[in-house]
Amino acid sequence: MHPESPDAVTIRGGAKFLQKHKLIRSYYWTTDVSIINNYLINYGPVVVGTYFTEGMTPLEQETALAYGTGDKIASYAYVIDSVNTNLGRYRIRLHFGNDWGRDGLAYVPIDDIAELLQDEGEACLPVGFGKKWKPT
């Protein structure tokens, strides 16, 4: 993702901060949702940077479903903290607070995130804070 202003904070900057303070050993970049799925199931959350689209807001409050469709609004970083492969959805959390989605969470189809990742997106997978992980 390309910062929209010189004051923008980057995902890499966050990862470097965690590495400097020895909270992670390193980090791995991917745009492959199969790697992201494996990581989520076996290790934990990932930080993703993609375009935020019209389909991601406003959300249906009842279902908190969001879609990576429509016009691009801005570039955002957010956390994917779980995957439901049966339903084909990720659960994401943004910095919009608990009024967005359902208690600050939304559910986005894996295929939509896959497309957003291919459009200048990135996912950062922290390494070295618990279980040993190698990309598959």
Side-chain angles (χ1 to χ4, degrees):
M1 298 295 307
H2 302 285
E4 294 180 1
S5 78
D7 298 325
V9 176
T10 65
I11 295 172
R12 183 173 184 265
K16 286 286 193 189
F17 176 86
L18 294 174
Q19 190 176 37
K20 178 181 176 182
H21 293 279
K22 303 197 183 309
L23 297 170
I24 63 172
R25 186 174 58 248
S26 61
Y27 48 93
Y28 177 79
W29 297 102
T30 189
T31 58
D32 185 330
V33 293
S34 64
I35 291 174
I36 293 169
N37 292 351
N38 178 55
Y39 190 92
L40 287 165
I41 291 166
N42 293 295
Y43 303 97
V46 301
V47 178
V48 176
T50 68
Y51 288 109
F52 191 79
T53 65
E54 288 178 337
M56 294 172 135
T57 190
L59 302 178
E60 300 173 21
Q61 290 296 319
E62 188 70 25
T63 62
L65 286 174
Y67 299 94
T69 58
D71 289 338
K72 298 171 187 173
I73 297 172
S75 301
Y76 276 105
Y78 50 92
V79 174
I80 299 177
D81 66 2
S82 68
V83 60
N84 184 324
T85 55
N86 292 328
L87 293 176
R89 295 182 190 154
Y90 288 126
R91 185 172 73 181
I92 69 170
R93 178 179 297 278
L94 282 106
H95 66 281
F96 298 148
N98 287 343
D99 291 337
W100 182 77
R102 187 185 315 144
D103 297 324
L105 301 168
Y107 302 87
V108 182
I110 293 170
D111 290 343
D112 288 7
I113 296 293
E115 286 185 34
L116 291 169
L117 286 168
Q118 296 308 310
D119 187 10
E120 298 185 70
E122 60 192 10
C124 182
L125 291 64
V127 178
F129 60 86
K131 297 180 189 177
K132 294 187 187 227
W133 180 79
K134 287 184 172 181
T136 56

